[in-house]
Amino acid sequence: MPTLRYERLNQERNMRETKKRVAAYCRVSTDNEDQANSFESQRRYFRQYIERNPDWELYEIFAEM
């Protein structure tokens, strides 16, 4: 029985240490200057949002312009 308890505790520890890899998607619809600023704002927002969650790890920010 002690072996099963150890395995369960080890699995729980591994689950706590595993972060979810998350990605963000940013998009702007025109080449206007204000849209370029919007794109940078979106990137900054998503990066900060993901970094605030200790269970997440930023995988990538995808972009379409």
Side-chain angles (χ1 to χ4, degrees), residues 16-24 46-62:
R16 282 192 304 268
E17 292 177 0
T18 303
K19 292 185 175 189
K20 291 183 181 179
R21 296 173 70 194
V22 297
F46 284 119
R47 182 175 301 279
Q48 291 172 350
Y49 184 80
I50 292 167
E51 289 173 351
R52 281 194 305 263
N53 190 322
D55 297 327
W56 293 352
E57 174 185 356
L58 177 60
Y59 173 70
E60 189 169 347
I61 297 178
F62 296 96

Side-chain angles (χ1 to χ4, degrees), residues 28-43:
V28 295
S29 57
T30 66
D31 291 334
N32 293 344
E33 181 69 28
D34 61 332
Q35 289 292 307
N37 292 335
S38 172
F39 173 71
E40 287 305 317
S41 294
Q42 290 177 58
R43 287 176 47 117

